[in-house]
Amino acid sequence: MNGSNQVPPAQRPRKIIHIDMDAFYAAVEQRDFPELRGKPVVVGGAPNSRGVVATCSYEARAFGIRSAMSAAKAYRLCSKAVFLRPRFEVYRAVSTDIRAIFQDVTDQVEAISLDEAYLDVTASSLFQGSATRMAEEIKRRIRELTHLTASAGVSYNKFLAKIASDRHKPDGLCLIPPEQGRTVIAELPIGAFHGIGKATEAKMLALGIHCGRDLERLPLATLTQQFGKAGAYYYRIARGIDERPVIPNRPRKSWGAETTFPADLSDKTEMREHLAKLAEGVLKKLARHGLQASALTVKVKYDDFEQVTRARTLGRPICETRDVLPHLAELLDRTEAGSRKVRLLGVSFSILENAQRPVTGQLDLFTQG
Ligand code: DCP
Ligand code: MG
């Protein structure tokens, strides 16, 4: 092999993908309530409250409504917007689904929030190592599984991958290759730098720094003098250097689901059915993550809000819902459910291990088509 143009791994640029869902909470609401599609939708506090906007649909953004704005101001900007309270359980469920998709690509996943994650795919050989095609596939699978769109950015570090995912929103895919990194940063308005907040932006503008190019002109000493420790970060970012690693989130030790009922339950058969449904949902999720559990916990909240849990370890992996049904029933029997009314039931599975699954099971998702 001719080694002359082979770059040693440590110097080879990394391949980082940043994924960010579009108008996340609002898009989930428009998905679940089709009558909201095409309309300005604001998710957050009530317009007549002191609450704030968590997010809003793109239609609402056209009126100038933004995240973190007071709901009252959002109402002034667009009184015909539909104002909704957030449904966090639904957003969390979507988040779990998209994280499972990321895990199919690599275990080097750092989730930043419910709707946002960085993936380091440098070592991944899927699609002959094409990070752009991996990002396309992730977007396709997110759409298929959740009926929502995500935007993806591909670059050689976290800073640029995030800039890239923002560029072609919504439903965007943008690659910033190493040779373009510095140009993109040079042209970037200073307020668009992630990590530069409103106060720093104002200070930079006062110093005559309007874009990346202006920032790059300043010597390190001036930057640290003006901005302290952050100065060194700005100095490097201005040159397209960001060595922050993708730090995979620690695996969770347990997974669960619970339901609060609109009316308290007193019938145990009904309770067992609910537990079975909850267990089935969680087991499906575990399977998608390639995980198996060997212990389960049932949670019961009585109508007076007192809460108890009952747990059991089965010395073997749990795969099928039908295997856990007798245990769910037994755990429920060890509570006072039935003689006391129940307002909430929950099931969680713990002691997770990676399921033995064939490697091709993972690759299949990507080799077709
Ligand atoms: N969020 C929030 N409060 C904020 C910002 C965001 O509660 N100040 C929530 C609501 C968003 C979600 O986090 O839906 C994701 O935040 P993003 O910044 O990614 O915003 P969106 O996904 O809503 O829109 P975009 O399409 O710009 O990513
Ligand atoms: Mg988003």
Side-chain angles (χ1 to χ4, degrees):
M1 215 194 296
N2 177 3
S4 60
N5 54 8
Q6 294 242 314
V7 184
Q11 289 166 31
R12 203 185 293 150
R14 290 178 295 159
K15 294 178 198 168
I16 310 291
I17 301 177
H18 180 254
I19 302 278
D20 189 313
M21 301 295 288
D22 302 319
F24 183 43
Y25 298 178
V28 172
E29 300 306 327
Q30 289 181 323
R31 175 194 71 176
D32 294 350
F33 303 98
E35 65 275 19
L36 298 177
R37 292 178 198 165
K39 290 193 181 147
V41 172
V42 178
V43 182
N48 56 358
S49 74
R50 285 155 32 88
V52 293
V53 174
T55 195
C56 59
S57 65
Y58 281 79
E59 294 85 352
R61 291 180 199 197
F63 291 87
I65 302 176
R66 294 287 179 273
S67 290
M69 177 181 279
S70 77
K73 180 168 181 195
Y75 183 77
R76 282 198 300 276
L77 289 170
C78 179
S79 60
K80 67 178 171 63
V82 182
F83 286 80
L84 303 170
R85 294 304 86 72
R87 294 183 301 145
F88 291 109
E89 345 62 77
V90 185
Y91 313 145
R92 266 196 297 271
V94 174
S95 189
T96 305
D97 284 343
I98 64 173
R99 286 180 194 179
I101 293 171
F102 304 151
Q103 290 292 333
D104 274 336
V105 178
T106 176
D107 56 5
Q108 298 298 302
V109 178
E110 179 178 350
I112 300 294
S113 66
L114 289 183
D115 91 320
E116 187 187 342
Y118 290 101
L119 283 66
D120 185 332
V121 296
T122 313
S124 178
S125 56
L126 293 167
F127 298 117
Q128 288 82 48
S130 163
T132 304
R133 288 190 56 201
M134 289 182 226
E136 263 170 19
E137 181 64 12
I138 290 169
K139 276 165 54 72
R140 192 189 65 72
R141 294 199 60 212
I142 288 177
R143 184 194 286 273
E144 183 180 87
L145 185 65
T146 70
H147 304 284
L148 296 167
T149 61
S151 292
V154 181
S155 197
Y156 58 97
N157 63 38
K158 284 170 130 180
F159 182 82
L160 281 162
K162 185 163 167 95
I163 298 287
S165 75
D166 245 2
R167 293 208 128 189
H168 300 158
K169 254 181 184 297
D171 200 15
L173 172 62
C174 172
L175 164 72
I176 302 179
E179 62 277 14
Q180 282 171 21
R182 282 182 82 154
T183 318
V184 168
I185 290 172
E187 287 161 9
L188 201 65
I190 216 70
F193 276 64
H194 299 286
I196 296 187
K198 282 273 167 261
T200 310
E201 181 189 2
K203 188 169 170 183
M204 291 213 176
L205 291 175
L207 289 166
I209 310 169
H210 297 272
C211 62
R213 189 172 293 106
D214 303 331
L215 191 63
E216 197 184 340
R217 285 203 193 101
L218 295 188
L220 178 61
T222 312
L223 284 170
T224 45
Q225 190 196 336
Q226 290 291 335
F227 301 102
K229 262 175 97 181
Y233 171 74
Y234 302 147
Y235 182 84
R236 296 171 73 75
I237 285 300
R239 286 155 183 78
I241 303 166
D242 173 15
E243 278 151 1
R244 286 173 302 160
V246 170
I247 303 169
N249 308 101
R250 260 195 261 126
R252 293 167 51 169
K253 290 276 176 271
S254 78
W255 292 63
E258 55 184 50
T259 314
T260 303
F261 304 107
D264 297 336
L265 299 188
S266 41
D267 177 23
K268 276 184 97 174
T269 312
E270 218 177 311
M271 292 180 207
R272 279 192 290 269
E273 281 165 8
H274 277 289
L275 287 174
K277 233 182 276 164
L278 288 169
E280 184 172 15
V282 180
L283 286 172
K284 267 193 197 146
K285 254 174 213 164
L286 290 176
R288 276 209 298 279
H289 284 255
L291 293 170
Q292 284 178 338
S294 55
L296 76 160
T297 303
V298 164
K299 174 162 136 187
V300 174
K301 200 187 268 182
Y302 303 114
D303 59 347
D304 62 358
F305 286 84
E306 191 199 337
Q307 179 177 304
V308 294
T309 56
R310 298 287 181 260
R312 152 172 278 287
T313 303
L314 314 169
R316 60 196 153 71
I318 301 163
C319 302
E320 305 272 346
T321 313
R322 63 167 183 272
D323 298 337
V324 298
L325 294 181
H327 302 294
L328 292 173
E330 185 234 5
L331 293 171
L332 187 67
D333 285 343
R334 284 166 45 197
T335 73
E336 294 167 73
S339 58
R340 289 170 74 176
K341 286 188 177 173
V342 167
R343 61 175 278 115
L344 171 148
L345 285 173
V347 177
S348 69
F349 291 90
S350 49
I351 314 183
L352 306 167
E353 51 193 53
N354 285 322
Q356 310 291 325
R357 63 172 175 175
V359 181
T360 50
Q362 190 182 69
L363 292 174
D364 274 347
L365 297 165
F366 295 96
T367 45
Q368 298 158 357

